[in-house]
């Protein structure tokens, strides 16, 4: 990542006014909703920004979620204890400003999100990072990084914490 860029929790000095990723709901969320969600502990938004200008170039959010164990692929579910639900981390949103696409910033954000999820899981258990891809393009981005589809929900994918641990240990 460019040394002028940093990723940190969203705060009031980050300039989000011009952020445009091409998906209006994701732009609006960052501009109007993200700070409130952070204050209320509904979601933790992280921004990739230029530290010279404070302009936000990309962001993602994390929060806790559950996976219904029987919705997992059978070969994974059968290795788990027989709990109806298992804990996971939801990567709720991830977006890069359209003027900065193709510079590996989406990858930087994703790796940062996986790393924070990995650190967090050491203290509060989480067996996977889950994403809800909004369309086929988003789904193919996550599949590029080995996310696995839930068998009956093709736009919902997960990356097992065992895989993430191997990436960072
Ligand atoms: C998806 C998104 C975050 C990718 O960001 P980006 O900064 O342009 O992507 P990167 O430059 O980091 O790409 C890294 C790798 O992913 C690949 N990639 C990027 N978008 C991809 C897609 N839609 N499908 C498959 N692969 C993709 C790149 O080709 C590159 O591959 P390589 O490792 O072989 O070189 C960006 O297009 C975006 O913000 N889209 C709109 C919002 C969105 O759909 N978010 C995702 C779900 S909410």
């Amino acid at each position: 990542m460019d040394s002028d860029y940093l990723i940190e929790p969203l705060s009031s000095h980050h300039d989000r006014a011009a952020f445009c990723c091409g998906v209006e709901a994701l732009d609006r969320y960052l501009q109007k909703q993200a700070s409130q969600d952070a204050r209320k502990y509904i979601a933790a938004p992280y921004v990739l920004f230029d530290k010279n200008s404070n302009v936000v170039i990309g962001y993602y959010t994390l929060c806790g979620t559950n996976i219904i164990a029987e919705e997992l692929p059978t070969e994974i579910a059968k290795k788990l204890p027989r709990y109806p639900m298992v804990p996971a981390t939801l990567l709720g949103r991830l977006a890069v400003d359209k003027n900065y696409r193709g510079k590996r910033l989406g990858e930087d954000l994703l790796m940062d999100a996986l790393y924070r999820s990995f650190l967090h899981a050491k203290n509060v258990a989480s067996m996977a990072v889950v994403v809800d891809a909004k369309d086929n393009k988003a789904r193919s981005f996550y599949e590029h990084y080995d996310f696995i589809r839930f068998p009956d929900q093709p736009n919902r994918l997960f990356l097992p914490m065992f895989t993430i641990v191997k990436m960072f240990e």
Side-chain angles (χ1 to χ4, degrees):
M1 189 166 80
D2 189 311
S3 61
D4 286 335
Y5 297 165
L6 272 180
I7 301 177
E8 64 181 31
L10 174 66
S11 82
S12 55
H13 72 278
H14 297 125
D15 179 359
R16 302 160 263 170
F19 183 80
C20 178
C21 73
V23 181
E24 212 223 316
L26 292 173
D27 297 345
R28 199 169 357 108
Y29 177 84
L30 178 66
Q31 283 150 4
K32 307 242 187 272
Q33 187 67 37
S35 300
Q36 207 183 116
D37 279 7
R39 265 198 314 277
K40 295 183 175 168
Y41 299 96
I42 304 285
Y46 295 89
V47 291
L48 187 161
F49 68 105
D50 185 325
K51 60 188 181 196
N52 302 308
S53 61
N54 285 328
V55 167
V56 172
I57 295 166
Y59 81 99
Y60 67 83
T61 64
L62 293 178
C63 65
T65 191
N66 283 314
I67 295 174
I68 298 172
E70 66 183 23
E71 292 182 352
L72 286 162
T74 318
E75 64 278 14
I76 293 181
K78 73 183 182 202
K79 291 183 192 147
L80 294 173
R82 289 173 184 273
Y83 297 134
M85 303 236 243
V86 289
T89 304
L90 180 69
L91 174 54
R93 299 167 183 83
L94 187 152
V96 171
D97 189 290
K98 58 184 184 191
N99 295 317
Y100 295 84
R101 294 279 169 77
K103 296 173 185 286
R104 313 211 73 81
L105 299 177
E107 176 171 284
D108 290 335
L109 283 163
L110 179 61
M111 291 304 135
D112 193 77
L114 296 180
Y115 185 62
R116 283 185 209 267
S117 303
F118 155 74
L119 293 179
H120 185 70
K122 287 175 181 279
N123 294 310
V124 182
S126 163
M127 62 82 61
V129 170
V130 175
V131 294
D132 287 305
K134 59 171 185 48
D135 56 25
N136 291 350
K137 263 174 96 176
R139 184 174 70 198
S140 82
F141 174 71
Y142 292 118
E143 288 183 328
H144 187 67
Y145 293 96
D146 297 332
F147 276 73
I148 301 164
R149 292 183 199 185
F150 282 84
D152 296 326
Q153 304 165 83
N155 280 348
R156 181 158 240 237
L157 303 99
F158 69 100
L159 194 61
M161 195 56 70
F162 282 125
T163 308
I164 299 170
V165 167
K166 280 191 208 135
M167 292 165 69
F168 297 115
E169 274 192 350

